[in-house]
Amino acid sequence: MPDIFRKAFTPGEFKLDEAGAVKVAFAQLNVIDRDSDLTLPGAFTPKSVPMSGYGHTSWDGALPVGKGDIAEASGWAVFDGKFLMETDQGRNAYHTVKAMADLQEWSYGYNPTDYSYETRDGQTIRLLKGLDVYEVSPVLLGAGIGT
């Protein structure tokens, strides 16, 4: 299995309804983040992904709490999904995310499939050109700038 990376951002857009539908802009394109990565437009391939338990805990065996689709829109990577409200973990995660509101951020687990490095203003940055995203999840603290 390839190394899995996680990248977290404060959401630029966040919508949550009573039925458990969630829409969040979880990554901004063309911005150097705190990990010295810059994600280029086209890096995110539209696909369906699970929503991991809070803080990526599904990687450690916690059941997923939702599912949805990722895509790029207007300079952002967007997750449009739904909490699994018919499950205990889905309902609990929904209520936690609702209560935390703007005190939380969002993240994604990924494997870079295409990238390069360059130096800008004396800083080496990684240009992320292609990503295989495995999941999106709410987290406490992210890496994003300007999101």
Side-chain angles (χ1 to χ4, degrees):
M1 174 175 239
D3 289 335
I4 305 301
F5 299 90
R6 296 176 183 137
K7 181 139 329 263
F9 296 91
T10 302
E13 176 185 350
F14 176 60
K15 295 179 183 175
L16 181 66
D17 73 16
E18 295 300 318
V22 61
K23 186 171 186 178
V24 62
F26 65 90
Q28 189 175 21
L29 306 176
N30 284 320
V31 172
I32 300 172
D33 66 24
R34 289 183 186 98
D35 292 334
S36 296
D37 287 336
L38 184 143
T39 306
L40 296 173
F44 290 92
T45 302
K47 67 187 277 191
S48 296
V49 296
M51 185 187 332
S52 182
Y54 213 96
H56 301 288
T57 56
S58 293
W59 290 102
D60 298 323
L63 294 171
V65 299
K67 62 183 180 176
D69 299 314
I70 61 167
E72 291 182 9
S74 302
W76 296 88
V78 177
F79 175 76
D80 190 358
K82 187 166 186 334
F83 284 90
L84 302 173
M85 299 298 279
E86 64 279 6
T87 67
D88 290 339
Q89 72 273 8
R91 279 189 309 279
N92 288 338
Y94 165 82
H95 289 295
T96 299
V97 166
K98 182 178 178 182
M100 291 292 291
D102 63 352
L103 294 177
Q104 68 199 334
E105 300 178 357
W106 288 78
S107 182
Y108 60 99
Y110 71 100
N111 184 36
T113 57
D114 187 10
Y115 62 93
S116 63
Y117 292 92
E118 71 177 48
T119 301
R120 292 189 184 180
D121 298 323
Q123 176 186 10
T124 300
I125 62 169
R126 182 170 62 163
L127 299 173
L128 297 172
K129 303 172 187 177
L131 302 170
D132 189 5
V133 176
Y134 299 113
E135 55 85 23
V136 172
S137 72
V139 296
L140 293 176
L141 182 62
I145 304 289
T147 55

